[in-house]
Amino acid sequence: MPTDMLGREYETFPVPEPLQQHGPARVIAMCNQKGGVGKTTSSINIAGALSQYGRRCLIVDFDPQGAATVGLGINANTVENTIYTVLFNTRVDVHDVVRHTAFENLDIIPANIDLSAAEVQLVTEVGREQILNSVLRPLRDEYDVIIIDCQPSLGLLTVNALTAADGVIIPVAAEFFALRGVALLMQSIEKVQSRINPNLKVYGVLVTMFTRTLHCEEVMQRIYEAFQDKVFHTVISRSIKLPDSTVAAAPITMYAPSHKTSREYREVARELVANGVIA
């Protein structure tokens, strides 16, 4: 039986069978208030892998930097309607904001710098924590998974994402400073669970940017001590191919399908299906 980098034994996750029908979607918030830990990269590549396994995937770019939008080949500055539009204009149909990408089964709701104003505007809105949830409700039956790519903060946008989500995936870079903020994120998740969304789950902690160094292995051990079986069996290696695929505006599973990092993201996708997180 194979073992992961923490020495845990696990069965190899099988390639999932294609689905005969789609929906309702499982909504996943890709969340960590620390920047540069691989949230957008993981959102794009997990969705890319799942789309190749026949799952209909929607990425909600919920970061004013619009990295997921650009990473899938859409010019964020020329998009007329974005996630910001549907958050505050109830007359706009969310279906009109969804953009199809160049990849089968993979769509995105784009974002750009306009979203940076949302944090202030949400303060005065009625039911401000529930707005994203109501925006996404008409789309749930059309997709198998909706991944919300959160911005690196714990403000009202992130609270909206946690309220709309069924569960959270926490990407954590294999470096000491990346660990420090996770406790704060867990407190935010627990507050949302107790006050707004009691069904919110932590689907897993995904270790990213791993290299075979003593420092990375020590950080891995710390992460496991904190989260135990919530840590994904698969670890995402640091790789130059990831920025290359971003420049090419394609998930790495399509840009370089035989690359080690592609295999790792496909394994994460299979683990999510095998564990029943995604149909």
Side-chain angles (χ1 to χ4, degrees):
M1 188 179 290
T3 58
D4 62 18
M5 288 189 181
L6 290 162
R8 296 177 296 175
E9 291 188 346
Y10 71 104
E11 294 285 353
T12 304
F13 301 110
V15 174
E17 294 291 325
L19 295 176
Q20 301 304 313
Q21 58 186 38
H22 299 285
R26 192 63 57 93
V27 180
I28 299 173
M30 194 70 66
C31 196
N32 190 331
Q33 81 273 18
K34 187 179 186 312
V37 297
K39 289 187 295 295
T40 301
T41 300
S42 295
S43 297
I44 289 172
N45 291 303
I46 290 172
L50 286 165
S51 70
Q52 288 181 300
Y53 289 136
R55 272 65 186 164
R56 291 205 68 205
C57 303
L58 174 69
I59 295 175
V60 179
D61 193 344
F62 216 46
D63 184 346
Q65 296 178 67
T69 303
V70 175
L72 286 171
I74 296 168
N75 187 336
N77 297 319
T78 61
V79 174
E80 184 178 348
N81 288 325
T82 65
I83 186 65
Y84 174 78
T85 313
V86 284
L87 285 176
F88 298 105
N89 188 345
T90 54
R91 293 189 299 274
V92 176
D93 187 340
V94 68
H95 293 90
D96 296 333
V97 182
V98 173
R99 297 287 296 265
H100 301 300
T101 69
F103 313 102
E104 189 180 1
N105 293 324
L106 183 53
D107 296 341
I108 186 166
I109 297 180
N112 57 25
I113 196 65
D114 292 349
L115 190 59
S116 58
E119 201 85 47
V120 175
Q121 287 179 252
L122 281 169
V123 172
T124 57
E125 289 288 324
V126 175
R128 59 191 184 185
E129 296 93 352
Q130 300 279 357
I131 293 176
L132 180 62
N133 189 29
S134 62
V135 165
L136 296 181
R137 196 173 294 124
L139 298 172
R140 277 184 175 251
D141 287 338
E142 299 169 25
Y143 292 92
D144 300 308
V145 58
I146 298 173
I147 296 178
I148 307 169
D149 181 31
C150 298
Q151 68 170 348
S153 86
L154 290 177
L156 265 175
L157 286 178
T158 301
V159 171
N160 258 268
L162 294 175
T163 304
D166 298 305
V168 187
I169 292 176
I170 306 171
V172 181
E175 55 187 44
F176 177 71
F177 289 116
L179 270 175
R180 298 175 64 193
V182 178
L184 204 58
L185 173 61
M186 291 306 297
Q187 288 175 15
S188 296
I189 290 170
E190 286 163 10
K191 284 178 183 175
V192 171
Q193 285 172 326
S194 64
R195 298 174 187 175
I196 309 171
N197 185 1
N199 297 319
L200 183 67
K201 296 179 173 64
V202 176
Y203 287 144
V205 175
L206 180 63
V207 179
T208 62
M209 303 180 186
F210 182 85
T211 53
R212 284 200 171 275
T213 62
L214 187 60
H215 175 76
C216 283
E217 287 171 4
E218 286 176 355
V219 171
M220 275 277 292
Q221 203 57 49
R222 293 272 195 94
I223 293 170
Y224 180 66
E225 287 168 8
F227 295 100
Q228 298 291 311
D229 290 336
K230 291 289 185 189
V231 181
F232 281 92
H233 286 288
T234 307
V235 170
I236 307 301
S237 305
R238 189 182 291 273
S239 168
I240 191 63
K241 277 292 182 190
L242 283 169
D244 285 351
S245 70
T246 302
V247 171
I252 194 169
T253 54
M254 300 169 194
Y255 173 74
S258 60
H259 192 269
K260 178 185 178 187
T261 312
S262 295
R263 295 196 299 271
E264 290 166 351
Y265 273 116
R266 282 197 294 270
E267 186 77 1
V268 173
R270 291 200 300 269
E271 186 168 351
L272 287 168
V273 175
N275 290 342
V277 172
I278 296 163

